[in-house]
Structures are given as C-alpha cells and as structure tokens.
Amino acid sequence: MNSQIKTMLEMQDAMNSKVTKDWRGQNYAWYRAIWIECGELLDHYGWKWWKKQEPDMEQVVLELIDIWHFGLSILLVSAKNNDELAAQIEADLVIDASGADFREAVEVFAEKTLATKSFSVASFGVLMGAAGLTFEQLYASYVGKNVLNFFRQDKGYKEGNYIKNWDDGREDNEHLAEIVQQLDTSRADFRDAVYNALDSRYPK
C-alpha cells in the first residue's frame, strides 16, 4: 500500500507540473474543487426524492477519484517529502465499511473540507467504505484517471481544443472506465496501455 501511495503522489506532482510548472506556489483553491466535486458526486448517487433514481456507481467512483486527485494536491503542497506523506496517508486511510449512509458521509466530508480548506484522508476513507471502494480499486482508477488527465492535456485540453464527447456520444470518462476494466492493472506497462487504448478510441 505504501509504495502505491508514493506512486500516486509522484503521478499527481507530475500532472500538476504539466499544467503549471510552479504549481505549489500558485495558492490554488484545491478545497473548492473538492466540495464542488461533492455536489457532482451526490448527483450521480441520487438524492432527489421526487423522482426515481438509481446510483450510477461507475460515475460515483470517478468523482471520488477526482476528489482524491485534488486531495493529494493539497497534501503535497505542505509536505516535506513524499516518504513521510505516504506513511501519514497510509496511517489515516482507514476504509470504514461499517455501513455509513453515503449521502450523509458526503455532507460531513464536504462540511469538513469547507471548514478547514484542507483534505481529510480519514473522512475520505469513510466515503470509500460507504461507496464500497477498496484501496486496490482506488489505485487502479486513480492511475487510469491520471493518465486520462495527461491525455487531455496532450490533446489540447488547456487550449480548449479537446473533444470530451467521442464518436459514440459517450464522454471520455466512460471510455476510461471500460478500458480500466478490460486491462490487467498489475501489468508493468498499465499506464502506457491505458494511454494507448484512449488514443486508439479518440476521434481522429
């Protein structure tokens, strides 16, 4: 688990650096991105009592992964080194599957994020447990989404040239979820395989 956390920290640093070279010095409001994602998370899970809704768990997981990206970014800004940070994350990330109500867990997490303008790994672990997300799934989905973020940048996301809805009408996130399910996440070239699969599907 520790080595996988360090890998994710390195990948997050690389992604942030690709977008903005001196990203640590920009004072980005990562916490704001997190609570906005919480609203999207609830929409995918469903909360409207006046209409029939079924949780879209694939999209719920993708929103949790987005939150994890922003959370790692917050933690990296103030970290002395990745080894210490990885050890702290490993200690704090207790995936509580005791049956917490998912909607309430999201609200508690969002409230804590707004109050502290930071990222609570422990509260995120409660969210993971309530969503039935294991650490192994978190890692595989994170690597996949990180690769997608690199892919987006390479295809002109920052310049506004990126095509998010592909030829079959589905968003890139949906294609990513399908690709990650089809690949062996333990293979050494997993990152490259995800990128190549995205590239083969991207509208030419």
Side-chain angles (χ1 to χ4, degrees):
M1 184 175 181
N2 185 273
S3 63
Q4 291 169 311
I5 292 172
K6 281 193 278 191
T7 295
M8 289 189 283
L9 289 170
E10 290 164 4
M11 291 178 71
Q12 191 60 49
D13 189 11
M15 181 68 248
N16 292 351
S17 298
K18 187 174 181 68
V19 176
T20 308
K21 188 174 181 180
D22 179 29
W23 68 271
R24 282 179 172 83
Q26 302 304 310
N27 295 317
Y28 290 138
W30 302 103
Y31 80 94
R32 186 173 296 137
I34 289 174
W35 72 259
I36 292 295
E37 292 288 350
C38 287
E40 295 179 14
L41 183 61
L42 276 180
D43 275 340
H44 288 303
Y45 190 80
W47 59 274
K48 298 173 182 177
W49 59 89
W50 61 87
K51 63 182 288 190
K52 180 175 173 58
Q53 291 184 302
E54 295 293 336
D56 183 344
M57 293 311 295
E58 279 191 5
Q59 289 301 310
V60 165
V61 169
L62 287 172
E63 297 298 347
L64 286 171
I65 300 308
D66 284 344
I67 290 171
W68 185 246
H69 275 80
F70 296 129
L72 292 183
S73 298
I74 288 177
L75 299 175
L76 279 164
V77 168
S78 56
K80 294 180 180 178
N81 63 69
N82 283 4
D83 287 341
E84 288 184 10
L85 179 55
Q88 188 60 56
I89 291 172
E90 184 177 18
D92 292 343
L93 189 61
V94 178
I95 302 171
D96 184 356
S98 61
D101 179 85
F102 184 75
R103 297 176 187 89
E104 291 180 2
V106 172
E107 289 166 350
V108 168
F109 175 75
E111 183 180 21
K112 186 169 291 187
T113 299
L114 282 165
T116 64
K117 295 187 177 181
S118 188
F119 176 64
S120 169
V121 174
S123 292
F124 186 80
V126 175
L127 278 183
M128 287 179 63
L133 182 65
T134 67
F135 178 78
E136 291 72 22
Q137 291 169 324
L138 172 73
Y139 177 71
S141 297
Y142 172 86
V143 172
K145 187 59 185 285
N146 187 277
V147 171
L148 176 59
N149 287 341
F150 266 98
F151 183 80
R152 286 172 170 174
Q153 292 297 321
D154 289 344
K155 298 294 184 182
Y157 198 68
K158 196 172 183 180
E159 296 77 21
N161 302 323
Y162 182 73
I163 303 169
K164 193 168 185 181
N165 290 296
W166 295 3
D167 291 337
D168 60 358
R170 293 187 297 160
E171 285 192 2
D172 55 5
N173 272 322
E174 296 177 73
H175 284 274
L176 174 66
E178 193 172 87
I179 288 167
V180 169
Q181 285 179 355
Q182 292 172 353
L183 293 172
D184 178 5
T185 58
S186 65
R187 57 190 283 183
D189 65 341
F190 177 54
R191 278 186 277 182
D192 292 338
V194 172
Y195 191 100
N196 292 335
L198 289 168
D199 195 41
S200 70
R201 297 183 180 206
Y202 189 69
K204 301 298 189 285

